[in-house]
Amino acid sequence: MVAAVLVCAAAGCRPGTPIREVVRPSAPHEQYVASLHEARLHETALGREWLDAGQRAIREPISVSLPFREAGYLPPHEPAAVGYRIDLRRGQTLIVDVRIESADAARLFIDAFALNSEGAPERVAYAEDGSLSLTIQPERDGLYIVRLQPEMLRGGRYEVVQRVTASLGFPVQGFDSRAVASHFGAPREGGARDHHGIDIFAPRGTPVVAAADGWVSAVQTTPRGGRVVWVRSPSAGQSHYYAHLEEQLVSTGQRVRAGDPLGTVGNTGNAQTTPPHLHFGIYARGEGPLDPLPFVHEPRVTPPAMTADADALGTWRRTGGARYRLRAGSSTDAPILAELPRHTVVRLEAATGDWYRVALPDGTRGFVIARATQPLAAPIRRHEPAAATLVRLHPGPGATPVADLEPGARVPVLGLYESYVLVRTPDGREGWVEAG
């Protein structure tokens, strides 16, 4: 039971959330958490920080739009994880591919969580141990989180690419979703009923093909659908409905593979007054009709080209503009999290397109435009303390001291954060002092 509690903690469960007792964890991340408990490493500072990093990645994920490509850095000496929040629709297939470069063999855990109606995470998929790829076919529309986390004391540079594809083939040969002209839910017969499929317009006689493997469950002629073909797809748990056909080229009981011809586009049934088109419907047992568009829509866009300098990841930089905005996403349309004064110090954690994902010295994270940052090499001014001053590892009165400054010492200032300045001491060390 203790292992189950640890697994729930690592996934970010809320207090009081019912959990399933895990006797033999299946996900590699769960197995790793159980091993930390067995070795009592979860009681150490490093173990607690690692578990906290995994929880924080789910609790505070980065919202991204697909397709998405990010180059990032996970410091080996500092427990870290990153979470991506994605809006997915049933019928899409999410593909996550990761590449990691590390001085030591880095074991990377890739997990996917669905947020339930209460906003709590539920693990729905994971990459097998040693795999750097994950594929998800969501069972419902909603928000999902993909988490990347290396094992303790491992890390390095990584690149992650996330994209969605259609889970079914397009049912009209030579065409794609741009040929859809009537959508699911549109009113029919003056609002007496809703459209339970999509209409794909194409020239009469264009081949209609199976969207998935299955078997032909019915070949019929009906007043509404005209010449129709039903295909049952057991692997998808669905029945696919092809209506208004000019010709039917299969027979009941016939096995078909995705892409096999079923008939040709026509306008039979109640479509005789419309141009030739295929009415394509999807029905799930116990649920009724589903919107077919997410199942067959194949996005044509690619992630934006990487123009931010990925070689600078893991380093500290400062903002160069008079004032700069920290945003929640890599877009000028993303919500503004903070206004950053000129020369604010930020740590570069990842790059996507022409944006950096950064962390402020207090741990606040967000995105800034890459071209508005500059290296810390050149001082912005000099600081001269009036009294003996402690140089600290972080900006704050309780941070660890790393050096002393004598009264009147003139040291270069490399950047700013709130009431503190980042300085370089005469012996070359960097740290923070209160500006005074």
Side-chain angles (χ1 to χ4, degrees):
M1 181 63 183
V2 177
V5 173
L6 283 172
V7 168
C8 189
C13 297
R14 296 177 177 178
T17 300
I19 60 174
R20 172 179 56 87
E21 182 169 355
V22 179
V23 179
R24 300 185 64 181
S26 55
H29 192 279
E30 288 180 333
Q31 296 173 13
Y32 190 72
V33 169
S35 70
L36 294 183
H37 172 72
E38 291 170 3
R40 305 191 70 83
L41 290 175
H42 69 288
E43 299 175 352
T44 66
L46 183 62
R48 288 194 299 270
E49 290 175 3
W50 188 88
L51 290 171
D52 288 345
Q55 292 180 46
R56 189 168 55 252
I58 298 175
R59 190 172 59 249
E60 304 171 4
I62 304 155
S63 294
V64 299
S65 298
L66 302 181
F68 177 78
R69 176 187 289 118
E70 180 180 79
Y73 179 72
L74 295 167
H77 59 279
E78 178 183 329
V82 59
Y84 305 95
R85 182 170 53 207
I86 306 163
D87 192 357
L88 295 176
R89 296 195 63 188
R90 182 177 181 177
Q92 295 178 320
T93 298
L94 173 67
I95 301 172
V96 181
D97 291 309
V98 184
R99 180 174 56 86
I100 186 165
E101 298 175 2
S102 176
D104 302 304
R107 188 182 180 193
L108 185 70
F109 304 109
I110 309 175
D111 295 272
F113 302 84
L115 298 184
N116 64 22
S117 58
E118 298 179 351
E122 300 175 348
R123 184 185 276 107
V124 294
Y126 55 85
E128 297 293 341
D129 205 5
S131 173
L132 295 177
S133 296
L134 177 65
T135 300
I136 308 167
Q137 289 190 345
E139 295 183 356
R140 62 178 184 267
D141 297 356
L143 292 174
Y144 292 76
I145 296 172
V146 173
R147 181 183 64 191
L148 310 181
Q149 184 172 24
E151 61 183 321
M152 288 194 300
L153 300 176
R154 292 291 185 269
R157 293 179 182 268
Y158 69 88
E159 181 176 274
V160 57
V161 177
Q162 304 181 56
R163 58 191 176 89
V164 290
T165 65
S167 60
L168 299 178
F170 200 75
V172 178
Q173 191 176 90
F175 287 78
D176 57 30
S177 56
R178 290 173 292 184
V180 176
S182 182
H183 293 266
F184 184 84
R188 288 289 189 271
E189 298 176 5
R193 63 183 180 89
D194 293 335
H195 194 211
H196 287 168
I198 55 175
D199 289 343
I200 304 166
F201 287 79
R204 187 183 307 276
T206 303
V208 171
V209 297
D213 296 351
W215 54 275
V216 178
S217 57
V219 178
Q220 303 170 325
T221 300
T222 66
R224 180 177 292 175
R227 298 188 181 98
V228 304
V229 170
W230 285 87
V231 175
R232 178 68 182 165
S233 179
S235 61
Q238 301 166 353
S239 288
H240 300 156
Y241 175 62
Y242 306 80
H244 306 318
L245 301 175
E246 180 74 11
E247 295 179 277
Q248 297 153 307
L249 303 177
V250 289
S251 55
T252 301
Q254 182 176 334
R255 294 281 177 178
V256 294
R257 306 278 293 180
D260 284 352
L262 304 176
T264 59
V265 170
N267 62 342
T268 56
N270 66 0
Q272 294 179 23
T273 60
T274 67
H277 66 274
L278 170 70
H279 172 95
F280 179 63
I282 297 177
Y283 294 80
R285 186 183 298 275
E287 298 182 69
L290 307 177
D291 184 357
L293 189 59
F295 290 83
V296 299
H297 174 62
E298 191 73 51
R300 300 297 177 187
V301 295
T302 58
M306 185 78 70
T307 58
D309 180 12
D311 290 336
L313 297 179
T315 67
W316 292 89
R317 283 198 175 190
R318 63 189 180 221
T319 57
R323 291 190 71 81
Y324 204 73
R325 289 171 172 170
L326 182 74
R327 294 188 178 271
S330 55
S331 164
T332 53
D333 296 329
I336 298 171
L337 300 178
E339 297 279 356
L340 304 180
R342 186 181 186 187
H343 296 150
T344 298
V345 174
V346 297
R347 184 173 68 176
L348 309 185
E349 294 190 331
T352 178
D354 58 352
W355 292 77
Y356 282 131
R357 177 163 55 82
V358 302
L360 301 183
D362 68 354
T364 301
R365 287 171 167 79
F367 291 82
V368 298
I369 293 179
R371 62 179 178 274
T373 66
Q374 55 186 224
L376 301 180
I380 57 176
R381 65 171 186 261
R382 296 279 172 174
H383 176 71
E384 185 176 341
T389 303
L390 286 176
V391 180
R392 298 184 181 275
L393 184 61
H394 303 291
T400 304
V402 296
D404 296 287
L405 288 181
E406 297 297 328
R410 286 178 55 81
V411 291
V413 174
L414 307 179
L416 316 172
Y417 183 68
E418 294 184 342
S419 62
Y420 286 79
V421 293
L422 178 65
V423 302
R424 182 180 295 124
T425 65
D427 61 359
R429 283 179 285 183
E430 295 179 0
W432 295 87
V433 298
E434 195 162 9

